[in-house]
Amino acid sequence: MTATLTPEQALKDVFGYDYFREPQREIITELLEGRNCLVLMPTGGGKSLCYQIPGLLLPGVAIIVSPLIALMQDQVDALRELGVRASFLNSSLTPEEQREVVASLRDNSLDLLYVAPERLNQESTLQLLKSIPVALFAIDEAHCVSQWGHDFRADYLQLSLLQEVFPDVPRIALTATADANTREEIALRLGLQDARHFVSGFDRPNIQYRITQKQNPRQQLLRFLRREHESDAGIVYCLSRRKVDDTAAWLVQQGFDALPYHAGLSAATRQENQQRFLREDGVIVVATIAFGMGIDKPDVRFIVHLDLPKSLEAYYQETGRAGRDGEPATAWMVYGLQDVIMLRQMMDASQGNEKFKRIERAKLDAMLGLCEITSCRRHALLHYFGEDGHDACGNCDACLAPVPTWDGTEASRKALSCVYRTGQRFGVNYLIDVLLGADSDKIIQNDHHLISTYGIGKELNGNAWRSVFRQLVARGYLSVDHATYGGLHLNEKSRALLKGEESIALRIDVQEPSSKPQRKSRSKQAVADADKDLWEALRQCRKQFSDENDVAPYVIFHDASLMEMVHYRPLNEAQLLTINGVGQSKLEKYGAAFLQVIREHEGG
Ligand code: ADP
Ligand code: ZN
């Protein structure tokens, strides 16, 4: 029905955008010409347009397969706001609602249909789709076919039958998962061997990566939030439920709008907290990793980790939830000696065969490596995901404030030697006491005041030693025993260092520079004080529509669109249409109200 539009017109008229991003246009052409594609794009890269626009232009309904049922309602809401005829089909609908969707499919009055994989695989669904024109199949989160033990794997594997049942319908598989093996497996499992691959870089340049030493994590968090993200939406990750609850309650005391989220809360509470995070401005969710999968909120401005993730994959995925709208966002983490010891210990105690343990250990090593490096964090992250050729980024803590190092060879040898002399079974605190020559009962009882390393470390204080031990454990020069309470012992790697055959540079732990320039999101930064009133008035206007229509504010307009309105002050419909994110449908629905706000502001 919209067959007369070009992709460019659809982009402008429906979505309100002026330019395609790389490589959206090429992907759209492939689909329009009936060919299959495999798309690998980072989160926030703009995958959806790649199938939504062909779905609008091609005859018939585009079927989008996604496991993220909780997301479908919001996706469909956002599309309907744009005037797109979209619906979804999954187990959350009542039988009556499902019948309505089926009826609209039958009379060809849908452009896009989101469907859960298990639903699509049902014989009745396949029969129905065979009887109507289908524009394309988009298989989102396509990495589900490759991950062992993934909840949706079985259903995703069955999607291979699409090529047999619908040989003439183009298919596009999309994922944000990086590695080449996964891509090959997707192609194989989904019968996409002939598909052109579109692989976009993984860099998220708008995310600022910062990892800092844990001293007083709550005060550090408070300072970070107050200075940089006063009324922003963000996620704070903690490892345990207890810590989630405590941290959320504490943030509320400090005046933040913070909510807990973890698997121990009732489904209703979780749903409500997630909903508030999505629908309201400036809500902080404190969560275990249970939160985030399927959160598609574009204006998350910060991700905090109060505990270390277990792998760089997890870190990148979690931090990747920030800044999907392309505006500046911060990934901020604190970690310390205890985190390192605990994770090393957990790993050692973990069940599983040797191979599994080896992989887990390698992943943890990579995570700890990122924490301890003194060069560009982004460079290291991208390198880990197989992407080289980036220069130092200028937007991570290591680039912003180069990390000083010192020759820690001598200190490390003392530390390792002390581990050895005390029998390789004591924890860090005890070892430091010995190095500093403390006269504790325990040391006397053990006769450790008589050994050669007793009191040889007085040139450093306790904190400095803690830093030495942390770095030695993190970098694998000391192993943690899981049978004792964090007892340390030597390993293969220790030897060369102990013997003096190897030297080691250690980072000097500095507090985060207190004079770090206050960074706000570009939108807020760009709103000068004189424009604050208009900005607030526009946000208020957006909030009203968002409440009335029961959708998230960004579904009405993104912050970036409001910011452009503040800048350009459009006074009529034609001018308003030049604003990014304002298409025909939104112009009709909201144009008058927003123009009114701007005119009033200009007049007064
Ligand atoms: P992904 O699914 O890859 O994570 P989305 O499809 O949700 O990313 O797009 C991320 C954001 O970028 C959305 O807010 C979307 O509206 C915006 N976007 C996508 N393509 C364009 C474009 N060509 N011009 C402007 N904004 C775009
Ligand atoms: Zn950098």
Side-chain angles (χ1 to χ4, degrees):
M1 111 167 227
T2 28
T4 47
L5 283 183
T6 66
E8 280 72 18
Q9 285 165 335
L11 182 71
K12 181 70 196 156
D13 293 355
V14 178
F15 296 92
Y17 297 136
D18 290 321
Y19 305 102
F20 282 110
R21 291 180 185 161
E22 279 293 316
Q24 287 173 332
R25 184 62 172 87
E26 270 178 285
I27 296 167
I28 290 169
T29 304
E30 291 290 298
L31 290 172
L32 290 180
E33 294 179 0
R35 289 184 295 272
N36 299 330
C37 309
L38 201 165
V39 173
L40 174 91
M41 232 188 242
T43 306
K47 286 186 280 299
S48 336
L49 281 188
C50 299
Y51 52 79
Q52 286 168 349
I53 287 185
L56 286 174
L57 302 188
L58 289 168
V61 61
I63 307 295
I64 298 125
V65 187
S66 165
L68 307 176
I69 290 179
L71 259 188
M72 290 182 182
Q73 182 73 59
D74 275 355
Q75 283 168 324
V76 164
D77 283 347
L79 284 162
R80 288 183 180 162
E81 282 299 322
L82 297 169
V84 175
R85 303 174 307 169
S87 258
F88 65 89
L89 205 48
N90 65 35
S91 51
S92 77
L93 294 179
T94 64
E96 181 54 36
E97 289 168 327
Q98 300 195 22
R99 272 194 294 277
E100 277 172 28
V101 174
V102 168
S104 49
L105 276 173
R106 286 226 166 83
D107 41 88
N108 200 15
S109 60
L110 279 182
D111 297 311
L112 301 175
L113 178 75
Y114 287 79
V115 52
E118 69 276 10
R119 180 63 192 238
L120 178 61
N121 290 332
Q122 283 173 14
E123 190 52 34
S124 57
T125 314
L126 291 172
Q127 286 306 330
L128 169 64
L129 293 182
K130 273 207 295 197
S131 70
I132 59 169
V134 174
L136 60 91
F137 288 100
I139 301 161
D140 209 357
E141 313 291 336
H143 53 272
C144 290
V145 292
S146 86
Q147 284 171 5
W148 287 102
H150 198 293
D151 286 356
F152 309 105
R153 187 160 191 259
D155 292 317
Y156 261 74
L157 285 173
Q158 268 198 54
L159 296 175
S160 65
L161 58 75
L162 290 179
Q163 62 176 324
E164 290 142 34
V165 184
F166 304 93
D168 302 322
V169 179
R171 286 169 297 134
I172 172 172
L174 307 106
T175 178
T177 300
D179 66 286
N181 289 340
T182 306
R183 222 180 319 140
E184 288 314 316
E185 193 166 359
I186 292 172
L188 182 72
R189 302 280 185 191
L190 294 180
L192 290 168
Q193 287 92 339
D194 63 339
R196 209 173 133 191
H197 290 205
F198 292 89
V199 180
S200 301
F202 262 74
D203 193 9
R204 302 285 312 279
N206 59 317
I207 299 181
Q208 182 176 90
Y209 298 102
R210 279 157 47 193
I211 303 176
T212 193
Q213 298 312 316
K214 202 180 265 186
Q215 268 126 7
N216 181 339
R218 282 191 172 177
Q219 290 310 318
Q220 287 173 289
L221 174 61
L222 195 59
R223 206 163 50 218
F224 168 73
L225 293 176
R226 292 238 164 100
R227 274 208 202 131
E228 303 179 46
H229 293 286
E230 185 72 62
S231 52
D232 286 340
I235 306 174
V236 176
Y237 285 110
C238 306
L239 219 50
S240 73
R241 297 174 185 184
R242 169 101 195 269
K243 187 161 166 186
V244 163
D245 289 332
D246 292 351
T247 308
W250 178 78
L251 281 172
V252 169
Q253 275 174 17
Q254 303 302 314
F256 291 92
D257 198 355
L259 301 167
Y261 190 104
H262 57 69
L265 297 170
S266 72
T269 307
R270 286 206 307 266
Q271 174 69 18
E272 190 188 319
N273 291 358
Q274 170 169 332
Q275 208 60 3
R276 286 203 45 212
F277 180 66
L278 291 173
R279 296 284 158 91
E280 294 174 23
D281 281 331
V283 173
I284 298 175
V285 162
V286 186
T288 56
I289 44 171
F291 185 74
M293 168 97 169
I295 291 297
D296 195 5
K297 183 175 165 64
D299 54 355
V300 177
R301 293 269 70 84
F302 64 87
I303 302 288
V304 164
H305 281 96
L306 291 181
D307 293 303
L308 267 181
K310 287 194 189 66
S311 67
L312 285 181
E313 283 86 350
Y315 175 74
Y316 206 61
Q317 190 173 56
E318 284 155 23
T319 55
R321 290 169 186 146
R324 294 179 71 133
D325 55 9
E327 299 285 313
T330 320
W332 186 85
M333 177 159 94
V334 285
Y335 90 109
L337 176 65
Q338 278 319 310
D339 297 286
V340 179
I341 300 234
M342 194 186 72
L343 275 178
R344 283 258 186 254
Q345 214 170 1
M346 263 166 54
M347 232 69 341
D348 242 51
S350 98
Q351 305 297 312
N353 61 28
E354 262 317 302
K355 183 175 173 215
F356 177 75
K357 277 192 185 174
R358 212 165 43 240
I359 294 173
E360 270 199 316
R361 262 199 300 272
K363 287 190 186 275
L364 178 61
D365 280 338
M367 183 67 234
L368 293 173
L370 181 77
C371 294
E372 298 291 356
I373 56 162
T374 52
S375 53
C376 177
R377 309 246 196 227
R378 186 184 315 273
H379 192 279
L381 269 171
L382 292 172
H383 172 75
Y384 180 80
F385 292 115
E387 212 176 295
D388 283 313
H390 288 269
D391 292 329
C393 74
N395 194 25
C396 72
D397 51 359
C399 285
L400 290 169
V403 184
T405 58
W406 61 296
D407 182 352
T409 313
E410 197 48 42
S412 298
R413 288 181 64 196
K414 287 181 181 174
L416 295 179
S417 167
C418 189
V419 170
Y420 182 72
R421 301 273 167 209
T422 51
Q424 309 196 52
R425 59 202 168 88
F426 291 96
V428 172
N429 289 333
Y430 185 83
L431 293 165
I432 292 177
D433 278 350
V434 174
L435 284 164
L436 293 177
D439 57 354
S440 77
D441 294 346
K442 198 171 162 195
I443 290 181
I444 313 278
Q445 274 163 25
N446 289 326
D447 278 345
H448 285 155
H449 58 304
L450 305 175
I451 60 176
S452 61
T453 51
Y454 182 74
I456 58 162
K458 289 180 178 157
E459 73 277 18
L460 299 179
N461 66 21
N463 274 340
W465 278 116
R466 223 171 290 281
S467 168
V468 170
F469 277 106
R470 186 197 77 238
Q471 296 184 61
L472 289 174
V473 175
R475 291 163 66 169
Y477 288 98
L478 277 173
S479 300
V480 184
D481 196 349
H482 70 265
T484 61
Y485 288 99
L488 300 180
H489 56 89
L490 303 183
N491 58 34
E492 279 298 296
K493 218 175 152 181
S494 327
R495 219 143 287 157
L497 194 55
L498 190 56
K499 283 195 198 142
E501 295 163 5
E502 202 181 281
S503 61
I504 186 170
L506 297 177
R507 50 187 298 149
I508 298 177
D509 295 337
V510 279
Q511 275 267 24
E512 264 198 308
S514 55
S515 60
K516 189 150 284 179
Q518 186 160 333
R519 283 177 40 87
K520 291 239 161 133
S521 65
R522 201 190 320 149
S523 38
K524 280 194 221 153
Q525 217 165 40
V527 179
D529 280 348
D531 295 332
K532 280 253 164 61
D533 291 348
L534 177 55
W535 169 251
E536 288 306 329
L538 290 171
R539 274 168 46 116
Q540 193 51 41
C541 183
R542 174 174 74 175
K543 180 89 179 88
Q544 245 163 33
F545 281 118
S546 126
D547 289 345
E548 260 168 45
N549 303 357
D550 194 23
V551 295
Y554 64 79
V555 169
I556 310 290
F557 283 123
H558 280 197
D559 280 358
S561 302
L562 296 194
M563 180 183 64
E564 285 196 13
M565 290 183 204
V566 170
H567 268 314
Y568 297 115
R569 310 276 167 115
L571 293 172
N572 57 42
E573 296 201 341
Q575 289 173 358
L576 191 58
L577 266 180
T578 64
I579 301 290
N580 243 325
V582 183
Q584 285 301 338
S585 163
K586 290 195 174 173
L587 179 74
E588 278 160 33
K589 283 191 241 177
Y590 312 121
F594 281 84
L595 282 173
Q596 177 69 20
V597 171
I598 297 168
R599 284 197 204 107
E600 270 169 21
H601 192 84
E602 290 289 87

